[in-house]
Amino acid sequence: MKKSFLILSVALAVFAISSCEDPNPADPEDPGTEQPEDPDDPGTEEPDEPTIEVTDLNASNPETANCYMVTKEGRYCFNATVMGNGDEGLMESFDAKATAITPTKAVLVWDYPTGHITDVELQDGKLYFTCGRGDGNAVLAATDDAGTVLWSWHIWCTVEPGLVSVDYSYAPNEDTGYEGESGTWEVMDRNLGAFINSVPEDAYGLYYQWGRKDPFTQWLTDQSLANCHKLAGSADAQDPANTIEYSIANPSTFLIGYQYGADADQRSWLYSADAEGQYKYNELWGNNCVYACYPPKTIYDPCPAGYRLATCEFYNFCRNNPDLSSWNMVDGAQQVYGDMVLPIAGFLDYSMNWMTTDSSVWTDSSAWGGNDKSFRTWNNDATDQTGRGRAFPVRCMKDK
């Protein structure tokens, strides 16, 4: 009896164990026996891809420009199918008659500090890039399939610049029929591309040959960055390749100014056989008119949307108005006019020689009277003419 009971107990135990096992166990080698996932089991959900927020720089202001300001790190995009500020920036003297482009690729031309801009790409006509933390400058370009640059843009990574306000007033002139005008100019408190508005090198900003939209850095003569910017042209011979089209396709190339006349300052980055040949370029930055005029912003203006190059009229008003104090040199390092500071930022001479004892900035104006030079304002608060082959800083003012 005991023996029969023992056999029965063992049999029941074996049956109980067998009944807890999966009658159709999954074979890890056989995909056809995989069990369906439980939709209510959170442990079986696939993790979502992280979402990268992209800021469209044209979303709040559809106006396009040659410069875009970025005030914090992140992923950005902008419209890369329009030259500068579009058709409204075309002047009658320009060879370009339309501003639409159809790029297929995007590239980083240069950035400073190196590595500040990454992940540059073109999608559906928009140029995308990622900006790192902190201050920096860069030039990005849109190209065709062959890699030819169709247009390029300056990316200015910095805090939002402050504005300096200057009230102006012009009396009517009965002889000319001028009705007079008054208002307020609002000018950035720093040079274009600068990170601060005081005296250290971070206040220098970037450097532009007159009429060109693409900047150069003050660091381009450092041996460590010798390959950042190239040279084209010669100080001893004219180079017919030095054209507007060539400058657009080669935004990082400094075009050496050739002396085409007897005057030592008759030097331009643009090819011409003589001074008269330079007249056709007098409107590149808009201003080829006389006192108290306000020319339009052009496709070659380097300032961000909502801004334009500070006019020659603005600097002349500041210099000549007896109700305002004149420029004052402070510590040999900056010119101060009211709340506006011009650091002794130096300039790049015709052959890209670095000149350090000068606070010049370009104005928007070619020299009046059909001249072949352009206006700058400089150390002794004068506004004079000099050759377009030099590269000076610039200031931007609010567009009217």
Side-chain angles (χ1 to χ4, degrees), residues 86-370:
D87 289 351
E88 66 182 36
L90 291 173
M91 306 290 280
E92 290 185 8
S93 61
F94 291 177
D95 292 333
K97 303 303 178 185
T99 59
I101 56 174
T102 54
T104 57
K105 300 178 182 178
V107 296
L108 170 67
V109 178
W110 63 262
D111 63 345
Y112 191 87
T114 302
H116 196 66
I117 300 295
T118 58
D119 303 321
V120 177
E121 60 181 341
L122 187 76
Q123 293 183 16
D124 300 324
K126 290 185 178 292
L127 198 157
Y128 289 78
F129 66 95
T130 299
C131 179
R133 180 176 300 178
D135 297 325
N137 284 292
V139 171
L140 309 181
T143 75
D144 59 17
D145 286 332
T148 300
V149 173
L150 304 180
W151 203 256
S152 50
W153 295 266
H154 166 215
I155 305 301
W156 186 13
C157 309
T158 186
V159 298
E160 188 78 23
L163 294 174
V164 177
S165 298
V166 175
D167 296 328
Y168 66 90
S169 178
Y170 294 109
N173 188 321
E174 295 181 0
D175 295 334
T176 63
Y178 176 61
E179 297 180 355
E181 183 182 1
S182 62
T184 300
W185 284 304
E186 292 184 296
V187 183
M188 284 188 179
D189 65 355
R190 66 201 64 192
N191 292 341
L192 181 55
F195 308 137
I196 55 177
N197 62 350
S198 52
V199 294
E201 291 178 344
D202 279 351
Y204 291 175
L206 300 174
Y207 298 77
Y208 296 80
Q209 292 182 289
W210 191 90
R212 293 187 69 178
K213 63 183 178 63
D214 295 300
F216 299 93
T217 71
Q218 71 265 36
W219 311 111
L220 50 71
T221 54
D222 286 4
Q223 292 300 314
S224 61
L225 293 176
N227 295 324
C228 185
H229 299 283
K230 299 175 291 183
L231 294 174
S234 168
D236 301 318
Q238 286 183 305
D239 188 346
N242 285 11
T243 62
I244 293 174
E245 292 73 21
Y246 182 87
S247 74
I248 293 172
N250 297 273
S252 65
T253 299
F254 188 94
L255 302 180
I256 292 179
Y258 169 72
Q259 185 172 339
Y260 53 81
D263 187 335
D265 276 339
Q266 286 184 299
R267 291 175 179 262
S268 175
W269 59 271
L270 285 158
Y271 170 81
S272 69
D274 52 30
E276 188 173 351
Q278 290 292 317
Y279 296 171
K280 67 174 291 187
Y281 305 118
N282 284 355
E283 291 183 314
L284 289 181
W285 277 353
N287 200 341
N288 186 29
C289 55
V290 295
Y291 185 69
C293 63
Y294 194 80
K297 180 179 180 178
T298 78
I299 60 172
Y300 303 112
D301 189 304
C303 293
Y307 293 87
R308 53 158 303 131
L309 283 164
T311 62
C312 187
E313 177 187 358
F314 164 74
Y315 292 111
N316 275 331
F317 179 85
C318 293
R319 179 171 64 93
N320 296 325
N321 191 335
D323 296 330
L324 299 172
S325 59
S326 62
W327 294 95
N328 297 301
M329 181 71 76
V330 177
D331 298 329
Q334 58 188 346
Q335 292 278 344
V336 177
Y337 179 85
D339 294 327
M340 189 162 69
V341 176
L342 290 180
I344 307 298
F347 63 95
L348 296 168
D349 211 358
Y350 302 114
S351 295
M352 212 179 71
N353 296 315
W354 180 242
M355 315 297 286
T356 59
T357 57
D358 200 301
S359 65
S360 296
V361 292
W362 277 126
T363 77
D364 70 332
S365 179
S366 57
W368 299 333

